[in-house]
Amino acid sequence: MHNRAAVMYDTHDIRLEERPIPEPGPKEVLVEIRAVGVCGSDVHYYEEGRIGSFVVEEPLILGHESMGTVVTVGDEATKHEVGERVTLEPGVPDMTCRECRAGRYNLCPNVRFFATPPIDGAFTNYVAIHEDFAYALPDNLSDNAGALMEPLSVGIWACRKAGVKAGDHVLVTGAGPIGLLAMQVALAQGATEVTITDVSPQRLELAEKTGATRAINVSEEPLTGVEVDALIECSGNERALGDGIRSIRPAGIGVVVGMGPGEESRIPLSLIQNKEIWLTGTFRYANTYPAAIELAATGKVNLDAIVTGYYGLEDAEEALQASRKDPANVKPMVVPNR
Amino acid sequence: MHNRAAVMYDTHDIRLEERPIPEPGPKEVLVEIRAVGVCGSDVHYYEEGRIGSFVVEEPLILGHESMGTVVTVGDEATKHEVGERVTLEPGVPDMTCRECRAGRYNLCPNVRFFATPPIDGAFTNYVAIHEDFAYALPDNLSDNAGALMEPLSVGIWACRKAGVKAGDHVLVTGAGPIGLLAMQVALAQGATEVTITDVSPQRLELAEKTGATRAINVSEEPLTGVEVDALIECSGNERALGDGIRSIRPAGIGVVVGMGPGEESRIPLSLIQNKEIWLTGTFRYANTYPAAIELAATGKVNLDAIVTGYYGLEDAEEALQASRKDPANVKPMVVPNR
Amino acid sequence: MHNRAAVMYDTHDIRLEERPIPEPGPKEVLVEIRAVGVCGSDVHYYEEGRIGSFVVEEPLILGHESMGTVVTVGDEATKHEVGERVTLEPGVPDMTCRECRAGRYNLCPNVRFFATPPIDGAFTNYVAIHEDFAYALPDNLSDNAGALMEPLSVGIWACRKAGVKAGDHVLVTGAGPIGLLAMQVALAQGATEVTITDVSPQRLELAEKTGATRAINVSEEPLTGVEVDALIECSGNERALGDGIRSIRPAGIGVVVGMGPGEESRIPLSLIQNKEIWLTGTFRYANTYPAAIELAATGKVNLDAIVTGYYGLEDAEEALQASRKDPANVKPMVVPNR
Amino acid sequence: MHNRAAVMYDTHDIRLEERPIPEPGPKEVLVEIRAVGVCGSDVHYYEEGRIGSFVVEEPLILGHESMGTVVTVGDEATKHEVGERVTLEPGVPDMTCRECRAGRYNLCPNVRFFATPPIDGAFTNYVAIHEDFAYALPDNLSDNAGALMEPLSVGIWACRKAGVKAGDHVLVTGAGPIGLLAMQVALAQGATEVTITDVSPQRLELAEKTGATRAINVSEEPLTGVEVDALIECSGNERALGDGIRSIRPAGIGVVVGMGPGEESRIPLSLIQNKEIWLTGTFRYANTYPAAIELAATGKVNLDAIVTGYYGLEDAEEALQASRKDPANVKPMVVPNR
C-alpha cells in the first residue's frame, strides 16, 4: 500500500507526493478513497489561496466530497466492516460546545473539516475518519453518487431551511452543482414549480434535463413575473440575490448558499421588512447524510446526472481548472486509484 | 335548467327531488356540479344520522367533494367566468373570528360547511358558493381529480402538520381514500419510506400500486420493526393509533386524521412523554387548494388512481353503500348530470 | 357635537378645520378620540410628505395610535356599548386575500390603515371603525396607555418574530418609543439581559429606568462584547444594523423594525451565512391587541413611563415637531378634547 | 475527607454508609455536595423500587437535584476552579448518538443520569462529574437555589415546549414543586394569566404567594371557564389531564410533565382533533442550565420560596417521607455536610 496525495503548495501549484498512510485512532476507520468531487471551494483555494479568514499557509490536500472503501477499523470502532463502501461526512465537530449540544454541530467553532486549513482533504489514497462520520452506501449507488452526498447535503440543508413543501414555488439562482442539487431536492420535497437562473446555456440545459420547470438565462432576459415561496441563492452574485429577494412572496424565505466576494452585501432590506421575508444562510449542514443516501438510493435525486469528467490523482490540478475553462464541466471527479 | 338533489331524510333514506336553483349572492358563483366524491363522513351520516354533535334533524343534501362548471356569476364577483371548470372548497368561514384572523379558518366556529347539518352539500345539480372558495381547474385535470381536491387537501394538511420532508420515513395507518392520498402527498413531499397498514388486501394492493414502499396487512402480521419520523393515522382505530405511536422515533410527530368512535381514546401517553413525541389531529384544512391543484396537475399525485366507480344522482344511495359492501370500492363518484 | 381635525395639507402645513362627523357603517362604531400618540411615521409624513411609495397627495389627517369612547354603535355591530373606552387597531384588512386567509393580515395589500394616504387618521374628534378593530380597555389603564397599544403591538410583534424566551439575551438598537417598548416586551417575555443602544443620553436614561440591563451610548463607546440570542433593530440606522448583526449568536435572530432611508442597505451577509442567522423585518403587526392590553393591565409593561408631553388638537403641529426638537420628548400625546 | 452516602437497599430501606471518594476522570471535576433537593422520583424509587422499566436491583444512592463546591479538577478539565460553587446537571449523554447529534441529548438512549439505576446520585458527600455538566453559580444565589436548577430546568423545558409568550394564558395542573416552578417560568416568560390547580390548600396558597393569578382546589370546585393557550400538566393525574386538555384553545399546546401510573392513559382525543391541539410530553430537559441560572440570579424566579425543610444525610430517609406525610412540605432539602 502506498499513499499518494495531490498537495497544494501555493496558488496554482499542486504536487503529487507520497504521504504516510494515516494510522486510524481507536474510534476511526481507514478508508481507501475511490472518488472525490471537485467543489467550488477547492477551486477557490487553488486560485486565491484563501477563503475568507481561512488561509492556506502550509501545504494542504484539497478535496472534501469523497467516498471509498473501509480498509482498517480502529480498536474501538464498531460501526463498519472492512470492505464496506462508505461516504465521508468531511467535518468532525467537537460535540461538547454550545452549538454541538444544541444540535447545530455544523456551527461548532472547533470542527475539523477536510480541505480547510490546516486540515487535509481527500485528494489522496487513504484517509482516516471517526466512524460516526462514515456512512455505508447501498449497492445500487455509484461511487460518484457516494462522493456527491456532500454537495447533496448542502442542497438538503438549504431546502430544510427554506421549508420547501408540497406545492411550493421555488427559485434557485445559480445552476452550478449546488444549485442543480438544491433544485433536485426542492423538487423531491414537493415543489411544483422550480425556476432556475444562470448565465451559462449549458448549465441551464442540464437544469432543464434534471427537472427545472423553468430556466432563465439572466444574461439574456430579466428575472420577472416570478413569485416564490422560497429563494435558494447559489450564485454568490449580489444582483442575483437582490432580484431573488424581490421574487419572494410575503412571509417567504430566502436562503443564501452561494458565497459572495466580501463580508458585506447590498440587499433590498425594505422589502424584507415590508413583506416580512425571512432571510438566512447555510454553513455546510448537519444531520443530512442519512437523508442524502436515501434520496439518491430511491432515485428521488440523480447525482450521476451532474458528473461531467474524470481525473486521476496526477491530474488533480487539471480537475481544479476544469470548471473555469468550461462552465459545462459542472462536476469533475477525481478518481485516486484510477 | 332543473335542479335535482339526492336528499337524506333519515338514516338509509335518500330521496331524489327537485329543488329550486340557488340564487348566487353578489360575491358568489353558481356552479353546475359535474362530479362529487363519496366521503366516509357522508356514509357516516347516511348510516348513523350524526357525527359527534352534528345531527341530521332536517332533510340534508350530502356530498362535499365536488367540482363543476360556473354557469352564473354574482354582480360583485370578479374571479371566475361562465364556463370555467372549478373545484369547490366546501367550507366558508366567517373571516372575522379569532381563528380566522389567525389564519386557522378551518377552526372557525361559524364555518358553513357542505353536507354538515344544517348546510346542504353537493349531491345536486347546482350549488352557489362564494367566489373565493371556487378554484379554476387546469385543462389537464379530469373532473374526478377536480372533485378529489377535497380529500387531497386533507392529505396535504396532514403532511404539513407532520412536517414531512426529504428523506423522512412515514407510517400511514389505514388505506382508505384519505390514507391513500396522505401517502401520495408524503411521497411527493420527499418521504423515502412510506409504510401503510390496513386489513383489506385490495386496499393494500392499491397502496402499493400508488407508491407505498411497504404495505402491511395488520390482520395477518403485526406492525413491528418500523421507526418513523411521522405517523399519519387514517383508520380511526384505537389499536392502530397505539401501534402507530409506538412506531414514532424520539421527537417525531403523530397526526390523527381518522375519527374514532367516541370522545376519548386510550393512547400510550408514557411514550409520548419519554420520547417527547408531538401528537396532534387535523380538522379539515386551510389554505391547501392551490397546492392540491398543482400537485395533481404536475402529476406528483394521481387522483384518478383511487376512483373506483360512477353513480348518477339517482343512484346516490347506492354510492353511499358501495364502500361498505366492497372495501375495494375505495372512492365511488356521484356524477349528477350523467 | 363638532368634529375638528388637524389636517396636513403639505409638508410643514397642518391646519385645524371642521369636518363632518363620520357616519358609522352597520358593523362599525363611532369613537370620540381621547388620546393619540405621535409616531415617527406621522413626523416623517409631516416633514417629507411621503414614506416610500406612500405619498400625501390630498389633505390627510395624521395619527394612528389612538383610543377613545364609543359614542354610536352601527346597526349590526354587537361587540361594543356606548360609553365603552376602546383602543383602536388602525389597520382594517380585506380578510379575503391570500395573506389574510393565511393569518398575515398585516400584509394584506388592500388594508386601510389610519394616516396612510389616502386614509385619514385620528388627529380628530371622531372616527368610525369596524367593531372588530376596537378593543375594550380595562379601567385600570390610562387613556395614554390605551393609545399606546399601537406601538406596544409593534414591540410585541418584534418579540414574537425574535422568539424571545426565558433566559434570552436581547439587543435593542435605538431607544425611541418603539425600541423602548420592544425592550419592555423582551423583558416581559423572559429576557434576562437586554442591552439597548442610542446616541441620546436622555433616551438611554429612560431605557435604564424602564428595565434595560445595559445602555450603551454608541456615540461614545462602541458596541462590543455583546452576544445575543436576538437583535431588535429600531433605529433605522445602517451602522446600528450591521453592528447589531455582528452581535447575534450562531443561529440567532435579527428583526429589523426601524426603517432606513432607502430601499437597499448594506449588511454583513457573510456573517448571516457563516452563523446561520435568521434576519427578518416587521410590518406593523397582527393579532397583538389582546396581548398588548393584558401586558399593560397586569403591569408587565409600563406605557405611561414613556409619555413625555400633551398637546391639544390645535397644537398638533407642535406635537409633530416635539421629538425632533428634543430627543427626550420621546412620546408626545395629542389630546383632541382637551 | 470522608464520603458518606445515604444508600437505598430496598424500598423503605435507606442506610448511611461510608463510600470511597470518587476519582475524577481527566475531564471531570470532584464536587463536595452542599445541597440536594428531594424529587418525586426519589420518593417513587424509595416507595416502589422502580419507575417504569427502571428497577432498583443493586444498592443505589438517590438524589439528583444537587450543587456543591469543586474540590478537585481532572487533568484535562479546564472549565472550573477549586472552590467554585457549581450546580450539577445530572444527566451525561453520550454525545454521539442520533439524538445527541440532533441536539436532543435528553433523549440519548445511553445517558448516565444520577439516581437512575444503576447510576448513583447525590445523597452523598462527593460526586465526580464531567466538567461540561457543572455550571458556576453567581454569588447572589443560595445553595438551595443552586440545587433547584434541576427542577427549574424541568419547568423551563415545559415552557419552551409550550411556547409561552407575552400575553399568554396558561393552565398548570398540579402545584407540587414542578408545577410551582413551571408556573413561575410561565409568568417570567410573559404569561398574563396563570391558573393552577391542586387538591392541597397549602400548595395552592404557596402558588398564589409565588404568582398564580388563579388557584383552584379541584377537590372543591370544578375547573371550568378557563381557556388557555397552553396546558402544563404536572400532576400525573388522568382526570387533571383530561380537564386540562378540555381547557386548551384551538391550536393550543398541551405539555405533559407529570408521570401517570401506567403506560397508557385515556385522553379526549376527539378534542385534540377538532381543535387541532398539539400534545407532547417532556423527558428531563436539554440546554436549560444557563437560562435557569440567569432566571434565578435576576430574580425572575424565586427558588428559595419553595424550600420547606432541611435534613442531614443521616435523615435522608425522613426527607424522602416528608412530602407524603405533609403535602405542605413541598421541597425538602438534604444538606450532606450539615
Side-chain angles (χ1 to χ4, degrees):
Chain A
M1 284 185 0
H2 287 270
N3 187 27
R4 294 177 311 152
V7 184
M8 172 178 164
Y9 273 75
D10 203 344
T11 55
H12 299 273
D13 178 3
I14 305 278
R15 305 179 197 171
L16 193 67
E17 44 179 58
E18 196 80 12
R19 287 283 180 100
I21 294 176
E23 194 67 42
K27 289 289 248 179
E28 290 189 327
V29 290
L30 183 70
V31 175
E32 184 182 3
I33 299 295
R34 293 169 58 94
V36 194
V38 175
C39 172
S41 69
D42 296 316
V43 176
H44 203 91
Y45 279 123
Y46 171 71
E47 293 188 341
E48 308 290 340
R50 67 185 300 159
I51 294 180
S53 57
F54 291 103
V55 182
V56 181
E57 289 171 332
E58 299 293 324
L60 181 76
I61 302 173
L62 293 171
H64 62 267
E65 305 175 348
S66 64
M67 60 75 61
T69 306
V70 174
V71 291
T72 316
V73 171
D75 286 348
E76 298 171 18
T78 60
K79 296 186 175 168
H80 304 286
E81 293 183 358
V82 169
E84 194 177 278
R85 278 197 323 151
V86 290
T87 176
L88 307 187
E89 182 173 353
V92 179
D94 69 13
M95 291 313 284
T96 70
C97 71
R98 181 184 64 182
E99 307 313 320
C100 285
R101 282 170 73 158
R104 306 185 287 260
Y105 68 74
N106 57 318
L107 303 181
C108 173
N110 307 311
V111 66
R112 295 171 58 87
F113 199 95
F114 280 21
T116 302
I119 310 299
D120 280 327
F123 287 168
T124 183
N125 289 111
Y126 295 98
V127 154
I129 192 165
H130 192 288
E131 64 171 348
D132 290 344
F133 291 81
Y135 301 82
L137 284 169
D139 291 343
N140 72 334
L141 288 178
S142 69
D143 285 359
N144 290 333
L148 298 182
M149 294 306 160
E150 207 277 342
L152 177 56
S153 283
V154 175
I156 290 170
W157 193 237
C159 285
R160 281 193 197 163
K161 297 258 175 194
V164 177
K165 60 187 190 311
D168 274 4
H169 295 191
V170 176
L171 171 63
V172 177
T173 46
I178 295 296
L180 289 166
L181 294 182
M183 179 197 81
Q184 284 199 42
V185 178
L187 289 161
Q189 204 160 298
T192 43
E193 282 189 18
V194 181
T195 302
I196 193 161
T197 64
D198 205 298
V199 297
S200 153
Q202 299 101 322
R203 290 182 170 208
L204 290 166
E205 197 182 321
L206 181 51
E208 285 185 315
K209 251 195 273 184
T210 51
T213 57
R214 188 174 168 205
I216 301 178
N217 189 329
V218 284
S219 70
E220 293 173 358
E221 63 169 311
L223 175 65
T224 53
V226 174
E227 190 195 46
V228 294
D229 300 284
L231 160 72
I232 301 177
E233 205 305 294
C234 301
S235 74
N237 181 286
E238 197 176 79
R239 188 171 152 194
L241 175 60
D243 289 347
I245 289 172
R246 286 183 190 90
S247 304
I248 302 175
R249 69 156 167 80
I253 297 176
V255 180
V256 190
V257 183
M259 295 179 66
E263 199 219 343
E264 297 200 327
S265 298
R266 288 195 79 76
I267 62 164
L269 185 66
S270 69
L271 269 184
I272 286 176
Q273 296 182 264
N274 293 346
K275 295 165 88 172
E276 296 197 341
I277 288 166
W278 288 90
L279 186 75
T280 191
T282 58
F283 185 73
R284 297 164 182 166
Y285 38 77
N287 300 307
T288 51
Y289 268 67
I293 293 166
E294 291 205 17
L295 284 175
T298 56
K300 291 196 171 231
V301 304
N302 182 345
L303 294 170
D304 295 295
I306 69 162
V307 172
T308 47
Y310 297 91
Y311 302 83
L313 209 46
E314 64 283 1
D315 301 319
E317 189 151 14
E318 195 185 334
L320 286 162
Q321 298 166 338
S323 300
R324 289 291 167 95
K325 285 192 180 148
D326 177 8
N329 198 340
V330 166
K331 182 55 76 183
M333 303 296 297
V334 170
V335 186
N337 61 357
R338 205 187 197 184
Chain B
M1 287 189 350
H2 285 269
N3 187 27
R4 295 177 310 152
V7 184
M8 173 177 164
Y9 272 76
D10 203 344
T11 55
H12 300 273
D13 178 4
I14 304 278
R15 305 180 198 170
L16 193 66
E17 46 180 57
E18 197 81 11
R19 287 284 179 100
I21 294 177
E23 194 66 40
K27 290 289 247 178
E28 290 189 328
V29 291
L30 182 69
V31 175
E32 184 183 2
I33 298 296
R34 293 170 58 94
V36 195
V38 176
C39 172
S41 69
D42 296 315
V43 176
H44 203 90
Y45 279 122
Y46 171 71
E47 293 190 342
E48 308 290 340
R50 66 185 302 159
I51 295 181
S53 57
F54 292 102
V55 182
V56 181
E57 289 171 334
E58 299 294 323
L60 180 76
I61 302 175
L62 293 171
H64 61 268
E65 305 176 348
S66 64
M67 60 76 62
T69 307
V70 174
V71 290
T72 316
V73 171
D75 287 348
E76 299 170 17
T78 61
K79 296 186 174 166
H80 303 286
E81 294 181 358
V82 169
E84 195 177 280
R85 280 199 318 154
V86 290
T87 175
L88 307 187
E89 182 171 353
V92 179
D94 68 13
M95 291 312 284
T96 69
C97 70
R98 180 183 66 180
E99 307 313 320
C100 285
R101 282 171 73 158
R104 305 185 290 259
Y105 68 73
N106 57 316
L107 304 181
C108 172
N110 307 312
V111 67
R112 295 172 57 87
F113 199 94
F114 280 19
T116 302
I119 310 298
D120 278 328
F123 286 167
T124 182
N125 290 111
Y126 295 97
V127 155
I129 193 166
H130 193 288
E131 63 170 349
D132 290 343
F133 292 81
Y135 301 82
L137 284 170
D139 290 344
N140 73 334
L141 287 178
S142 69
D143 284 359
N144 289 333
L148 298 182
M149 294 306 159
E150 207 277 342
L152 177 55
S153 283
V154 175
I156 290 171
W157 192 238
C159 285
R160 283 193 196 162
K161 297 259 175 194
V164 177
K165 60 184 191 310
D168 274 4
H169 295 191
V170 175
L171 171 64
V172 177
T173 46
I178 296 294
L180 289 166
L181 294 183
M183 179 198 79
Q184 283 200 42
V185 178
L187 289 162
Q189 203 160 300
T192 43
E193 283 189 17
V194 181
T195 301
I196 194 163
T197 65
D198 204 298
V199 296
S200 152
Q202 300 101 321
R203 292 183 168 208
L204 290 167
E205 198 182 322
L206 181 51
E208 286 184 314
K209 252 196 272 184
T210 51
T213 56
R214 188 173 168 203
I216 300 177
N217 189 328
V218 284
S219 70
E220 293 172 359
E221 62 169 313
L223 174 64
T224 52
V226 173
E227 191 195 46
V228 294
D229 301 283
L231 160 72
I232 300 177
E233 204 306 294
C234 301
S235 73
N237 181 286
E238 195 175 81
R239 187 170 154 196
L241 175 60
D243 288 348
I245 290 172
R246 285 182 191 91
S247 303
I248 302 175
R249 69 154 168 81
I253 297 176
V255 180
V256 190
V257 183
M259 295 177 66
E263 200 219 343
E264 297 200 328
S265 298
R266 287 196 80 78
I267 62 164
L269 185 66
S270 69
L271 268 185
I272 286 176
Q273 297 183 264
N274 293 345
K275 296 167 88 174
E276 295 195 343
I277 288 166
W278 287 90
L279 186 74
T280 191
T282 58
F283 186 73
R284 299 167 182 162
Y285 39 77
N287 300 306
T288 51
Y289 268 67
I293 292 166
E294 291 206 15
L295 284 175
T298 56
K300 289 194 172 232
V301 305
N302 182 344
L303 294 170
D304 295 295
I306 68 161
V307 172
T308 46
Y310 297 91
Y311 303 81
L313 209 46
E314 64 284 3
D315 301 321
E317 188 151 14
E318 194 184 336
L320 286 162
Q321 297 166 339
S323 300
R324 289 292 167 94
K325 284 192 181 147
D326 177 9
N329 198 342
V330 166
K331 182 56 74 181
M333 303 296 298
V334 170
V335 187
N337 61 357
R338 206 193 196 181
Chain C
M1 281 185 2
H2 287 269
N3 188 28
R4 293 176 311 150
V7 184
M8 172 179 164
Y9 272 78
D10 203 343
T11 55
H12 300 272
D13 179 4
I14 303 278
R15 306 180 198 168
L16 192 67
E17 44 179 57
E18 196 81 11
R19 287 284 180 98
I21 294 175
E23 195 66 44
K27 290 289 247 180
E28 289 188 328
V29 290
L30 182 69
V31 175
E32 183 183 2
I33 298 297
R34 294 169 59 95
V36 195
V38 176
C39 172
S41 69
D42 296 315
V43 176
H44 203 91
Y45 279 123
Y46 171 71
E47 293 189 341
E48 308 290 339
R50 65 186 301 158
I51 294 179
S53 58
F54 291 103
V55 183
V56 180
E57 289 170 334
E58 299 293 325
L60 181 75
I61 302 175
L62 294 172
H64 62 268
E65 305 176 348
S66 65
M67 59 75 61
T69 306
V70 173
V71 290
T72 316
V73 172
D75 286 349
E76 298 171 19
T78 60
K79 296 186 175 168
H80 304 287
E81 293 184 359
V82 169
E84 193 176 281
R85 279 199 319 152
V86 290
T87 177
L88 307 187
E89 182 172 354
V92 179
D94 69 12
M95 292 312 286
T96 68
C97 70
R98 180 184 65 180
E99 307 313 320
C100 285
R101 282 169 74 156
R104 304 184 290 259
Y105 68 74
N106 58 317
L107 303 180
C108 171
N110 307 312
V111 65
R112 295 171 56 89
F113 198 94
F114 280 20
T116 302
I119 309 298
D120 279 327
F123 286 168
T124 184
N125 289 112
Y126 295 98
V127 155
I129 192 166
H130 192 288
E131 63 170 350
D132 290 344
F133 291 82
Y135 301 82
L137 283 170
D139 291 342
N140 72 334
L141 288 178
S142 69
D143 284 0
N144 290 333
L148 298 182
M149 295 304 161
E150 207 277 345
L152 177 56
S153 284
V154 176
I156 291 170
W157 193 237
C159 285
R160 282 193 197 162
K161 296 258 174 193
V164 177
K165 60 185 191 310
D168 274 4
H169 295 192
V170 175
L171 171 63
V172 177
T173 46
I178 296 295
L180 288 166
L181 294 183
M183 179 198 80
Q184 283 200 42
V185 178
L187 289 161
Q189 203 161 300
T192 43
E193 282 189 19
V194 181
T195 302
I196 193 161
T197 65
D198 205 297
V199 295
S200 152
Q202 299 100 321
R203 290 184 170 206
L204 290 167
E205 199 183 318
L206 181 51
E208 285 185 315
K209 251 195 273 182
T210 51
T213 56
R214 188 174 168 204
I216 300 177
N217 189 327
V218 284
S219 71
E220 293 172 358
E221 63 169 312
L223 175 66
T224 52
V226 174
E227 191 195 45
V228 295
D229 300 284
L231 160 72
I232 300 177
E233 205 306 291
C234 300
S235 73
N237 181 286
E238 196 176 79
R239 186 169 154 197
L241 175 60
D243 288 348
I245 290 172
R246 286 182 191 91
S247 304
I248 302 174
R249 69 158 168 79
I253 297 175
V255 180
V256 190
V257 182
M259 296 179 66
E263 198 219 343
E264 297 200 328
S265 298
R266 289 195 78 76
I267 62 163
L269 185 66
S270 69
L271 269 185
I272 287 177
Q273 297 183 266
N274 292 347
K275 295 166 88 173
E276 296 195 342
I277 288 166
W278 288 90
L279 186 75
T280 191
T282 58
F283 186 74
R284 297 164 183 166
Y285 39 77
N287 300 306
T288 51
Y289 267 68
I293 292 166
E294 291 205 16
L295 284 176
T298 56
K300 289 194 172 233
V301 304
N302 182 344
L303 294 170
D304 294 294
I306 69 162
V307 172
T308 47
Y310 297 91
Y311 302 81
L313 210 45
E314 62 284 2
D315 301 320
E317 188 151 15
E318 195 185 335
L320 287 161
Q321 297 166 341
S323 301
R324 288 292 165 96
K325 285 192 182 150
D326 176 9
N329 199 340
V330 166
K331 181 56 75 184
M333 303 296 298
V334 170
V335 186
N337 60 357
R338 206 189 196 183
Chain D
M1 287 190 353
H2 286 269
N3 187 27
R4 295 177 311 153
V7 184
M8 173 179 164
Y9 273 77
D10 203 344
T11 54
H12 300 272
D13 178 4
I14 304 278
R15 305 178 197 172
L16 192 68
E17 47 181 53
E18 196 80 10
R19 287 285 179 100
I21 294 176
E23 195 65 43
K27 290 289 246 179
E28 289 189 328
V29 291
L30 183 69
V31 175
E32 183 183 1
I33 298 296
R34 293 169 57 95
V36 194
V38 176
C39 173
S41 69
D42 296 315
V43 177
H44 203 91
Y45 279 123
Y46 171 71
E47 294 189 342
E48 308 290 339
R50 66 186 299 158
I51 294 179
S53 58
F54 292 103
V55 182
V56 181
E57 288 171 333
E58 299 294 323
L60 181 75
I61 302 174
L62 294 172
H64 62 268
E65 304 175 349
S66 65
M67 60 76 61
T69 306
V70 174
V71 291
T72 316
V73 171
D75 287 347
E76 298 171 17
T78 62
K79 296 187 175 168
H80 304 285
E81 294 183 358
V82 168
E84 195 176 280
R85 280 198 319 152
V86 290
T87 177
L88 308 187
E89 183 173 351
V92 180
D94 69 12
M95 291 312 286
T96 69
C97 70
R98 180 183 66 181
E99 307 313 321
C100 285
R101 282 170 73 156
R104 305 184 288 259
Y105 68 72
N106 57 317
L107 304 181
C108 171
N110 306 312
V111 66
R112 295 171 57 87
F113 198 96
F114 279 22
T116 303
I119 310 298
D120 279 327
F123 286 167
T124 183
N125 290 111
Y126 295 97
V127 155
I129 193 166
H130 192 288
E131 62 170 349
D132 291 344
F133 291 82
Y135 301 82
L137 282 171
D139 290 344
N140 72 335
L141 288 178
S142 69
D143 284 0
N144 290 334
L148 298 182
M149 294 305 161
E150 207 276 343
L152 177 56
S153 283
V154 175
I156 290 170
W157 193 239
C159 286
R160 283 193 196 162
K161 298 260 174 192
V164 177
K165 61 184 189 313
D168 274 5
H169 295 191
V170 175
L171 171 64
V172 177
T173 45
I178 295 295
L180 288 166
L181 294 182
M183 179 199 79
Q184 283 200 41
V185 178
L187 289 162
Q189 203 159 301
T192 43
E193 283 188 18
V194 181
T195 301
I196 193 161
T197 64
D198 205 295
V199 296
S200 153
Q202 299 101 321
R203 291 184 169 206
L204 290 167
E205 197 182 323
L206 181 50
E208 285 185 315
K209 253 196 271 185
T210 52
T213 56
R214 188 174 168 204
I216 300 177
N217 189 328
V218 285
S219 70
E220 293 172 359
E221 62 170 312
L223 175 64
T224 52
V226 174
E227 190 195 44
V228 294
D229 300 283
L231 160 72
I232 301 178
E233 205 305 293
C234 301
S235 74
N237 181 287
E238 195 175 81
R239 187 171 153 195
L241 175 61
D243 288 347
I245 290 172
R246 285 182 192 91
S247 303
I248 302 174
R249 69 157 168 80
I253 298 176
V255 180
V256 190
V257 182
M259 296 179 64
E263 200 220 342
E264 297 200 328
S265 299
R266 288 195 79 77
I267 62 164
L269 185 66
S270 68
L271 268 185
I272 286 176
Q273 297 183 265
N274 293 346
K275 295 166 88 174
E276 295 196 343
I277 288 167
W278 288 90
L279 186 74
T280 191
T282 58
F283 185 73
R284 297 164 183 167
Y285 39 77
N287 301 305
T288 51
Y289 268 67
I293 292 166
E294 290 205 16
L295 283 175
T298 56
K300 288 193 174 234
V301 305
N302 182 345
L303 294 170
D304 295 294
I306 69 163
V307 172
T308 46
Y310 297 91
Y311 302 82
L313 210 45
E314 63 283 3
D315 301 320
E317 187 151 14
E318 195 185 336
L320 287 162
Q321 296 166 341
S323 300
R324 289 292 167 96
K325 285 192 180 148
D326 177 8
N329 198 341
V330 167
K331 182 55 75 181
M333 304 296 296
V334 170
V335 186
N337 61 357
R338 205 189 197 183

